[in-house]
Amino acid sequence: MTNLANIARKKKIKYFLISFVDFFGVLRAKLVPTQAINIMQKDGAGFGGFAAYLDMPPSDPDVLAIPDPKSLIQLPWKPEVGWLASDLWIHGKPVDASPRVMLKNQIKALSKKNIIMKSGVECEYFLINKEGTALADPSDIASKPCYDQSALMRQYDIIKEICDYMIQLGWGPYQNDHEDANGQFEMNWDFSDCLKTADRHVFFKYMVRSIAEKHGVRATFMPKPFTNRTGNGCHAHISLWNKSRKNLFLNNKDSLGLSNLAYNFMGGIMNSAQALSAWFNPTINSYKRINAPVTLSGATWSPNTVTYSNNNRTHMIRVPGSGRFELRLMDGSANPYLMQAGIIAAGLDGIDNKRKAGKPVLLNMYEESHKLKNVKKLPLSLPESLELLKNNAVLNKAFGKNIIQSYLTLKNRELDSYKNSEGSIKTDIVTKWEKDNTLDC
């Protein structure tokens, strides 16, 4: 086993952040001095599960966050600190109802077929003022701001610093751009195995927020912080590989370059997409992105139906090239671990039951969706998606009814909090409750 104390000496690390992500995607941590890391690596750091979103009573003993040495990231802007993703344990065994463990369990299920999933994520975010009331750049006012060079370069210092750190960490970043909304950006790095991608996704959000704060502004991954602007998506590019590093999704004889396995995996995701919205679009605010009216730029760039197509961004699934597909359903509030776990679980069901994805829909769904008959619609609200998750046999079987119920219990409490503050769910405005509870998702 990798000895973290030895690594600390070599890398001059003085403190470790032993962290975990709860059901709501909140990053929790304890700051541990290097002199104590040996015992933490062996026994874990203790946390009261009731104090996080884990559906545990206050009478439960501590959950123990046992760090994964393979996940270690030395903070580039504070190199004396090392960050570690952890798995939660209680009563001598992993906590199955915890997101990273849930993903690892799905990875194990997939590995029984000698398959690994590789994925990459596209995390969109806004740069806003500290109060969360306006864009950080008051000059970012173009009606078609996507790829705007001037607006991008006005935030050069922030974008460059984050990208430099990704280069330093070996993530292989390859492009940064201004996105479709004013004040919105996206940064892309290389795909990898899905656990590593999920860990990096968690750290990326923390890093972006930290660097933005250092520069006197605020970064938000909130799905829809501004009613009239395009929302923050978190698209995933997906492929399956064998242990010999062969892409099992690739079929150059197919018109879209996909194998039968890829279509079955896609069919499984499409079969459970409505229920997966409870994880992929997990906030009240999420449904103002996937069911949004036309934005200032002219398009929402988010789906509202369960369809797939070629290189066409108006669908839930896009096939941009051979050997992979892009799932565009998820938004910036999605839990990085539940996101990857849900993809695998639904995809495995598609493989096992040879689910059909059907034929690609070669339409502009923003203008021509009325031409389709009997197409499945995505949920219109969080309560609707939670009900679909509750009744989804595939996900209940893959994760266990008790785990699904834990998530539902926590989310229903959140809905109660919203209703106590705002009354019925508002669909036409972004409420104060949403800002207060989602800006830092």
Side-chain angles (χ1 to χ4, degrees), residues 146-157:
C146 202
Y147 314 124
D148 187 316
Q149 178 172 297
S150 295
L152 175 66
M153 291 306 290
R154 283 196 296 273
Q155 300 292 5
Y156 173 78
D157 289 345

Side-chain angles (χ1 to χ4, degrees), residues 125-129 134-137 155 158-159 183-185 208 212 217-220:
Y125 63 91
F126 282 89
L127 291 176
I128 57 178
N129 63 8
L135 300 180
D137 178 7
Q155 300 292 5
I158 296 175
I159 303 297
Q184 187 184 45
F185 301 88
V208 170
V217 298
R218 188 175 182 180
T220 182

Side-chain angles (χ1 to χ4, degrees), residues 31 83 85 118 139 189 217 239 247 252 290 311 379 392 394 418 425:
L31 186 64
W83 177 85
K118 295 189 177 185
S139 298
W189 68 91
V217 298
S239 54
N247 184 348
N252 289 321
I290 61 172
N311 198 350
N392 183 273
V394 172
Y418 174 91
I425 292 179

Side-chain angles (χ1 to χ4, degrees), residues 230-241:
T230 306
N232 283 324
C234 187
H235 310 149
H237 291 255
I238 302 158
S239 54
L240 297 185
W241 300 67

Side-chain angles (χ1 to χ4, degrees), residues 59-195:
S59 57
D60 268 4
D62 280 1
V63 291
L64 300 172
I66 297 180
D68 181 351
K70 293 179 182 177
S71 70
L72 175 63
I73 297 175
Q74 198 167 358
L75 273 58
W77 65 97
K78 201 180 292 290
E80 65 185 35
V81 179
W83 177 85
L84 290 159
S86 304
D87 297 323
L88 296 183
W89 287 63
I90 194 169
H91 303 307
K93 58 184 181 181
V95 178
D96 287 332
S98 59
R100 196 171 192 266
V101 173
M102 291 167 69
L103 172 56
K104 291 178 77 173
N105 287 340
Q106 292 306 307
I107 291 170
K108 287 178 187 174
L110 191 60
S111 71
K112 291 178 182 177
K113 298 181 182 294
N114 295 312
I115 295 173
I116 60 172
M117 186 175 86
K118 295 189 177 185
S119 60
V121 291
E122 300 176 351
C123 307
E124 296 170 341
Y125 63 91
F126 282 89
L127 291 176
I128 57 178
N129 63 8
K130 289 181 178 180
E131 297 74 28
T133 56
L135 300 180
D137 178 7
S139 298
D140 194 342
I141 57 173
S143 57
K144 284 279 189 181
C146 202
Y147 314 124
D148 187 316
Q149 178 172 297
S150 295
L152 175 66
M153 291 306 290
R154 283 196 296 273
Q155 300 292 5
Y156 173 78
D157 289 345
I158 296 175
I159 303 297
K160 174 189 180 297
E161 185 169 352
I162 297 168
C163 190
D164 283 348
Y165 291 155
M166 288 196 285
I167 293 169
Q168 183 179 327
L169 293 170
W171 291 12
Y174 54 89
Q175 63 184 11
N176 311 292
D177 69 77
H178 190 293
E179 275 295 317
D180 191 63
N182 305 103
Q184 187 184 45
F185 301 88
E186 179 180 305
M187 309 177 74
N188 304 127
W189 68 91
D190 287 344
F191 71 97
S192 189
D193 72 88
C194 60
L195 180 61

Side-chain angles (χ1 to χ4, degrees), residues 269-342:
I269 292 171
M270 294 176 71
N271 179 64
S272 292
Q274 293 167 307
L276 283 169
S277 289
W279 284 354
F280 294 172
N281 312 107
T283 63
I284 290 166
N285 182 257
S286 294
Y287 297 85
K288 289 163 187 175
R289 169 185 167 264
I290 61 172
N291 292 295
V294 174
T295 61
L296 289 175
S297 71
T300 65
W301 300 111
S302 58
N304 52 35
T305 54
V306 182
T307 54
Y308 85 97
S309 190
N310 52 13
N311 198 350
N312 178 340
R313 287 181 170 87
T314 66
H315 293 261
M316 188 186 81
I317 294 175
R318 174 176 77 111
V319 184
S322 300
R324 64 186 167 104
F325 60 79
E326 176 193 42
L327 181 56
R328 299 174 58 80
L329 177 56
M330 295 79 79
D331 63 50
S333 65
N335 185 310
Y337 298 112
L338 295 185
M339 181 170 136
Q340 304 289 337

Side-chain angles (χ1 to χ4, degrees), residues 192-395:
S192 189
D193 72 88
C194 60
L195 180 61
K196 182 178 288 186
T197 292
D199 286 340
R200 288 178 173 178
H201 183 180
V202 171
F203 188 82
F204 176 78
K205 293 176 74 172
Y206 169 65
M207 177 166 62
V208 170
R209 284 195 289 258
S210 297
I211 303 312
E213 184 177 341
K214 175 183 169 183
H215 287 265
V217 298
R218 188 175 182 180
T220 182
F221 296 85
M222 183 176 178
K224 191 79 169 177
F226 303 102
T227 306
N228 58 353
R229 294 189 174 101
T230 306
N232 283 324
C234 187
H235 310 149
H237 291 255
I238 302 158
S239 54
L240 297 185
W241 300 67
N242 65 16
K243 301 293 175 63
S244 302
R245 298 183 179 181
K246 178 184 177 183
N247 184 348
L248 302 178
F249 273 12
L250 181 62
N251 177 12
N252 289 321
K253 295 181 180 179
D254 178 70
S255 61
L256 295 181
L258 295 180
S259 65
N260 288 333
L261 182 75
Y263 284 116
N264 288 153
F265 198 83
M266 182 193 296
I269 292 171
M270 294 176 71
N271 179 64
S272 292
Q274 293 167 307
L276 283 169
S277 289
W279 284 354
F280 294 172
N281 312 107
T283 63
I284 290 166
N285 182 257
S286 294
Y287 297 85
K288 289 163 187 175
R289 169 185 167 264
I290 61 172
N291 292 295
V294 174
T295 61
L296 289 175
S297 71
T300 65
W301 300 111
S302 58
N304 52 35
T305 54
V306 182
T307 54
Y308 85 97
S309 190
N310 52 13
N311 198 350
N312 178 340
R313 287 181 170 87
T314 66
H315 293 261
M316 188 186 81
I317 294 175
R318 174 176 77 111
V319 184
S322 300
R324 64 186 167 104
F325 60 79
E326 176 193 42
L327 181 56
R328 299 174 58 80
L329 177 56
M330 295 79 79
D331 63 50
S333 65
N335 185 310
Y337 298 112
L338 295 185
M339 181 170 136
Q340 304 289 337
I343 291 170
I344 294 176
L348 264 174
D349 169 69
I351 293 173
D352 290 341
N353 293 288
K354 291 185 167 44
R355 302 222 182 253
K356 303 295 184 183
K359 294 182 179 180
V361 178
L362 306 179
L363 297 174
N364 178 345
M365 291 302 288
Y366 298 158
E367 297 179 0
E368 302 176 282
S369 61
H370 61 278
K371 295 180 180 179
L372 292 180
K373 305 298 180 186
N374 301 319
V375 64
K376 287 202 292 187
K377 300 277 189 180
L378 291 168
L380 295 173
S381 67
L382 181 60
E384 184 182 346
S385 72
L386 294 176
E387 189 66 19
L388 288 162
L389 176 62
K390 177 182 178 181
N391 295 315
N392 183 273
V394 172
L395 299 178

